[in-house]
Every structure is written in structure tokens, then in C-alpha cells.
Amino acid sequence: MSEPRLLAGSPIAAEIRAGLTTDFAAFKVKWGYSPTLAIVLVGADAPSAVYLQQILRTCQKVGVQGRLLEIGSHAEADDVCNEIERLNADSAVAGIIVQMPLPAHIPLRTVINAIDPAKDIDGIHPRNAGLLSLGYDGFLPATAQASVEILKRSGIEIAGKRVVVIGRSNVVGKPAALLLMREDGTVSVLHSKTKDLAHHTRDAEILVVAAGKPGLVTGEMLSPGVVVVDVGINVVDDGEGGKKLVGDVDFASASAVAGAITPVPGGVGPLTNALLLSHLLQAATAQAQSQADAAR
Ligand code: NAP
């Protein structure tokens, strides 16, 4: 079997970032400030740290202020919500991301509800999630959007294809499935209670994997020519005493069967960050405009 086509997110992300750099410079000229992206981190875990460093680097590249707000893992939900309220009220802050997972004692829903939907640039607030499910414009969860954008921008037809999504989380799997439906894919969603995963994955013409389980999908679970989008980001031992990043798909065996595949790292991840910052520009522009209108 010939080598699969590698669907690299990095060049697509670089193209988006180049446009954003120009657009954020124009924003600064027009409105007199650079918008801030605030990232709320409660406690810390390894994948979060990797993800946050990437976002902060991307902020720097496009001329956005990145503000990391670290809250200790023993904080209560009220403390986290109070910090979010402060960010909601801060006119320099155009977008807020709350890094997941939160410590177990903090109810996710309480924290999500505290975010101003107009600053919810990763589309986790029920208002934005509802807009997505109804097919209206709102902020999309950036990772889910990236998993679809990488297909579209690589010229891969989704309409009419049998699309299988593994994972049904509110932040990745579910919104990815909704977006793929919006693109006219025939979408099935698999999850941890699905029986005989391979039976379903072998039927896929496009397979999107977002389970957070390294090596969940292997080549023998795929049909020849399938397009594989690996959303997973897992930190595992590299066998030499260090750590490395891998996806949810066993890249070596999947590559022997797939027609196209995203690498990890360098696939969906870089595109996610670029899209997140495009949402920040959208949010900042809407907020600056509405403040100017209110001042008239
Ligand atoms: P999550 O909230 O833990 O959800 C995982 C989903 O996968 C759940 O729906 C779960 O099913 C399903 N699942 C778990 N084990 C499974 C199995 N053995 N077979 C079938 N389905 C299984 O994770 P998430 O937040 O959606 O993230 C998914 C992955 O994407 C993680 O690796 C995460 O690090 C990565 N991620 C990547 C980016 C990026 O920019 N590339 C951004 C965010 C997250 P149930 O619903 O039944 O529990």
C-alpha cells in the first residue's frame, strides 16, 4: 500500500495566522489597543500545560495579549466564578477560555455559565452550544471546528460520505458531529458504551477520533483509503525515560491502510489555536463596535 496523504495542520494554521497578524494590527490602529485573551487554569495537568504553552505562543505570533490566570486547585467554584466575572467586566479582555479538566470538586456547569457568551470564544457556554445545535451563528468549539476545517481546507469532500466520530464530549466529539452533519456527512457517533467499535470504524469513509485514549484505533479497524482525523492529544512515556505526544490513533498501523491521516503533533492542534484566535478577533471587533455605538 502506498503512503497515505499527510494532512498537516501547521501550514494551514500558518496561513490563518498570517491573515490574523494583519487583522490584529489593523484592529490596533482602528481601536487603539490589542485585545487580550484570558486563559483560566484551575490546578494543572500535563496535557493542559502543553496546550496552554501552544496557545500563548500563538498569541505572541499574531500580536494578541495572552493573560494566564492561574488559580490553585483548592479554590472553590465561587472563587473561580468571581475571577471570571472580573474578566467579563474587563473591557480589554475580548475572550475567555477555561482550561479543562477542572478539579473534580468544581461543578463544570457553574463555571461555564459564568462566562459572558460574547467572550466565550471556545463555544462552551450553553448559548453558543445551542446556536450550534440549531445551525445558527455563534462561537464554535475550536477543536471541533479544526477537525472539520482540516478536511475542508485539504479539499476532502464530506457531503454524502459515511463519517464516524469516536467521542461525544460537549467540547469535541458532539460539536464535531454537528458540524460534520452541517457539511452533509452521514454521521455516526461512537462512545465508550459502543459495542464492537471496529465494526463501525471499518464502515467509515472519514473517521474522526476524539477519545483521549492512545492507540485506541489501529490499522486493522480501518478500511483501505479512509481519511483519519486524529484529535487526541496524549502525553505518554517515550520509552527512553522522557515523554512524548501521541494521538488516539496508532499512526504506524493506520498509515498502512488510510488514504489520508492527520499527524499528532502537527495536525488538528495547531489549527485549533489559529481558529481560536480568529474567534478572538471576531469577539473583539463586536465588543469594540458595541462600546463605540454605546458611547455615541
Ligand atoms: P473526554 O471529555 O474525556 O471525552 C472522551 C470521549 O471519548 C467520551 O465521549 C467517551 O465516551 C469516549 N471514549 C472514551 N474511551 C472510549 C473508548 N474506549 N471507545 C469509544 N469511545 C471512548 O475528552 P475530550 O475533551 O472530548 O478530548 C478528546 C481528546 O481530544 C483528548 O485526547 C484531548 O486531549 C484531545 N483534545 C485535543 C485538542 C486539540 O486541539 N487537538 C483540544 C482539546 C482536546 P463516553 O461519553 O461514553 O464517556
Side-chain angles (χ1 to χ4, degrees):
M1 185 95 188
S2 58
E3 291 283 304
R5 178 176 168 201
L6 201 64
L7 304 178
S10 301
I12 304 171
E15 204 178 297
I16 297 173
R17 279 198 308 270
L20 285 173
T21 307
T22 309
D23 292 345
F24 277 117
F27 180 98
K28 190 172 182 188
V29 169
K30 181 163 183 187
W31 300 106
Y33 69 98
S34 296
T36 295
L37 167 63
I39 304 167
V40 179
L41 175 65
V42 189
D45 71 343
S48 292
V50 174
Y51 188 57
L52 293 181
Q53 280 158 15
Q54 285 170 353
I55 298 178
L56 290 170
R57 266 204 304 272
T58 312
C59 284
Q60 252 182 352
K61 283 183 192 161
V62 301
V64 160
Q65 310 280 335
R67 190 192 298 172
L68 178 60
L69 195 77
E70 291 184 78
I71 304 177
S73 57
H74 298 300
E76 295 299 329
D78 277 355
D79 304 322
V80 179
C81 291
N82 289 339
E83 290 296 346
I84 291 174
E85 289 298 343
R86 268 193 278 278
L87 296 171
N88 287 342
D90 184 341
S91 59
V93 173
I96 301 168
I97 314 173
V98 178
Q99 187 57 37
M100 306 296 166
L102 292 171
H105 69 280
I106 297 185
L108 180 59
R109 192 162 169 187
T110 308
V111 171
I112 288 176
N113 284 341
I115 304 171
D116 178 350
K119 296 190 177 188
D120 170 37
I121 58 163
D122 206 14
I124 61 172
H125 189 279
R127 180 180 165 81
N128 285 311
L131 290 170
L132 167 60
S133 95
L134 295 174
Y136 300 141
D137 286 343
F139 290 116
L140 299 175
T143 304
Q145 185 188 11
S147 68
V148 179
E149 278 298 314
I150 202 161
L151 293 168
K152 289 172 71 178
R153 287 175 187 252
S154 304
I156 289 165
E157 178 87 30
I158 300 168
K161 294 273 175 66
R162 291 188 305 280
V163 182
V164 171
V165 178
I166 306 184
R168 58 175 167 179
S169 74
N170 288 335
V171 283
V172 192
K174 200 182 291 173
L178 288 166
L179 288 169
L180 289 158
M181 256 193 275
R182 200 186 267 188
E183 296 298 327
D184 296 326
T186 302
V187 182
S188 313
V189 179
L190 318 184
H191 46 76
S192 68
K193 307 292 184 293
T194 299
K195 289 182 182 136
D196 196 357
L197 219 56
H199 167 77
H200 299 278
T201 55
R202 282 194 199 109
D203 189 45
E205 293 171 280
I206 296 174
L207 177 66
V208 177
V209 190
K213 295 279 181 294
L216 178 67
V217 173
T218 56
E220 63 178 22
M221 298 166 69
L222 305 174
S223 287
V226 62
V227 176
V228 179
V229 177
D230 188 354
V231 183
I233 297 183
N234 308 289
V235 181
V236 297
D237 293 337
D238 66 2
E240 295 169 9
K243 300 277 180 198
K244 64 175 181 177
L245 280 190
V246 297
D248 290 345
V249 177
D250 175 48
F251 190 82
S253 64
S255 292
V257 186
I261 187 165
T262 61
V264 178
V268 174
L271 195 48
T272 298
N273 294 345
L275 291 172
L276 203 53
L277 290 181
S278 73
H279 299 176
L280 184 78
L281 179 68
Q282 202 184 318
T285 306
Q287 289 160 30
Q289 192 61 57
S290 83
Q291 275 165 21
D293 291 346
R296 257 193 225 135

